[in-house]
Amino acid sequence: MAKFLIVEARFYDHLNDLLIEGATAALEDEGHRVEILTVPGALEIPGAIAMAAESGRYDGFVAIGVVIRGETYHFEVVSNESARGIMALTMDGIAIGNGILTVENEAQALVRADPKQSDKGGGAARAAARMLQIASSFGD
């Protein structure tokens, strides 16, 4: 049994709740323990994961958030840089599932977040668990 930290950028409560529902169910179904940490925005997720990983208290992480395209370039910055930060951490051997949705509108986000539809939260959690399993196969 591993301990996972879900790091969420809470902006769209109803969408985050669905993502967390899927992620939590996926991890608990595999017998893992789950804690949740809320950060100000998607750009803060990689930093929070890095800090939590450094603490040694968690075995894996799930990044959760929703970024909906607006009228400015901010969407690209947030989408690209949060993904880049998470990828950099995975290259350091940290087991992370990326469940940050980057979508054009709320309708797309709802389909992807809903555990009864695309279940991207559950998918991210299963990816994190699998990455932890892969890391464990190589030993400490």
Side-chain angles (χ1 to χ4, degrees):
M1 174 168 65
K3 186 173 182 181
F4 284 84
L5 180 65
I6 296 173
V7 180
E8 66 149 346
R10 182 160 286 266
F11 192 79
Y12 301 97
D13 291 341
H14 64 295
L15 298 171
N16 272 41
D17 289 345
L18 290 169
L19 288 165
I20 290 170
E21 177 186 337
T24 300
L27 292 170
E28 289 178 347
D29 285 351
E30 292 187 22
H32 302 300
R33 293 177 293 149
V34 177
E35 288 184 16
I36 299 170
L37 173 68
T38 302
V39 298
L43 289 174
E44 288 75 36
I45 291 174
I49 290 174
M51 289 181 241
E54 184 71 23
S55 79
R57 293 175 39 204
Y58 303 96
D59 302 299
F61 303 89
V62 181
I64 295 290
V66 179
V67 184
I68 298 177
R69 185 180 301 277
E71 298 177 5
T72 69
Y73 182 68
H74 186 68
F75 172 85
E76 282 82 6
V77 171
V78 173
S79 299
N80 293 337
E81 292 304 312
S82 62
R84 185 196 59 74
I86 290 167
M87 184 56 65
L89 294 169
T90 64
M91 298 300 289
D92 287 338
I94 299 173
I96 304 172
N98 187 350
I100 300 174
L101 303 182
T102 53
V103 296
E104 297 293 325
N105 55 56
E106 189 172 338
Q108 287 179 348
L110 185 57
V111 169
R112 287 161 177 76
D114 189 345
K116 294 176 182 73
Q117 295 185 59
S118 293
D119 192 22
K120 295 298 184 180
R126 287 186 288 278
R130 179 64 181 130
M131 292 305 292
L132 180 61
Q133 198 175 45
I134 290 168
S136 297
S137 75
F138 292 113
D140 294 332

